[in-house]
Amino acid sequence: MLSTGLATVALGLLVLAPRLPRLARRYDAAALAPIDGPPANAADSPLLHRLDAWVGQGAGHGATLLPWSRPGVPVPLAIAFTPASHARAVRHFGYHLAGYHQLTRRSRIGGILYRIGVQLRPLAWFLPRRPDEPWDDAWLARADEARLEALARWLPRRPTLIVLEGEAAENAGRVAQALGHAARNGEQPVRLLILGKKPAQTPAGLPLTPL
């Protein structure tokens, strides 16, 4: 009976082994910077619905048949732009997409359990991503050489929304080019949103969506 139990545990560890390295992944502060919050409340505007549709289009469901398989991502990197005047609504959207509001509405214990569940999510390779599962988020105002180098090495641990404003928005082409590594080698969708006018230069083959 004991040997059967040990064999079951060993089999379970063998199955989970390909997923265990994912548990060690952390938010890369060299490449990303989280959204400051909580943001001012934004009206339920059409922009929020357009943002929701845009981030989800081509994101895939995140599930795989086998624990060592990589999930399919039809559109690994998508780029959109919206006027800088929409910053408040975008911040509101990003705050909720990242699940921060889930922590404010829960008790301290509930918040801890929620965080643990999010951290353990990679072990459930067979479950499709739920609509309310949190994304990683980034709000970048600068895109200096150090940031660009970090982005060029970065691989997303979860679906990620990156918002560019100010100087970073003016260098959107270089940021998008740096994200090519994540698009080619990652297993999570990345969405790059530019606050400002349509950039003059972007990498070839990547369409720009106005929002």
Side-chain angles (χ1 to χ4, degrees):
M1 197 67 180
L2 181 60
S3 60
T4 302
L6 291 175
T8 302
V9 171
L11 180 61
L13 291 175
L14 182 63
V15 169
L16 291 177
R19 313 296 299 185
L20 294 178
R22 291 169 171 82
L23 298 182
R25 294 177 182 173
R26 294 294 180 263
Y27 188 89
D28 188 346
L32 310 176
I35 292 176
D36 294 332
N41 191 30
D44 188 20
S45 68
L47 175 61
L48 299 181
H49 297 286
R50 293 198 300 271
L51 286 167
D52 188 56
W54 170 67
V55 299
Q57 186 174 12
H61 51 66
T64 63
L65 181 62
L66 301 172
W68 52 84
S69 301
R70 293 175 55 178
V73 185
V75 182
L77 175 62
I79 308 175
F81 65 97
T82 194
S85 58
H86 291 165
R88 188 176 73 166
V90 171
R91 192 177 294 272
H92 176 86
F93 175 79
Y95 186 82
H96 283 74
L97 184 68
Y100 295 122
H101 66 295
Q102 296 280 2
L103 298 175
T104 59
R105 69 176 52 169
R106 298 169 187 264
S107 66
R108 184 163 180 247
I109 298 299
I112 292 173
L113 293 176
Y114 174 76
R115 287 178 182 272
I116 292 174
V118 170
Q119 293 297 326
L120 294 179
R121 177 64 179 83
L123 297 182
W125 71 90
F126 48 87
L127 294 179
R129 190 184 305 119
R130 299 193 315 270
D132 62 344
E133 283 192 26
W135 286 42
D136 272 343
D137 66 293
W139 192 286
L140 306 182
R142 295 186 59 200
D144 55 18
E145 292 301 324
R147 179 80 68 184
L148 291 171
E149 290 176 6
L151 284 170
R153 299 187 302 266
W154 171 73
L155 289 176
R157 59 173 183 167
R158 345 183 147 118
T160 304
L161 170 67
I162 301 175
V163 181
L164 306 181
E165 69 172 353
E167 180 187 327
E170 295 173 1
N171 290 297
R174 297 186 67 192
V175 174
Q177 188 171 11
L179 290 172
H181 175 71
R184 292 187 300 269
N185 301 292
E187 55 186 39
Q188 302 289 352
V190 178
R191 300 295 178 255
L192 181 65
L193 180 62
I194 303 160
L195 284 178
K197 61 184 180 179
K198 181 179 179 179
Q201 296 180 347
T202 55
L206 291 176
L208 286 167
T209 301
L211 294 174

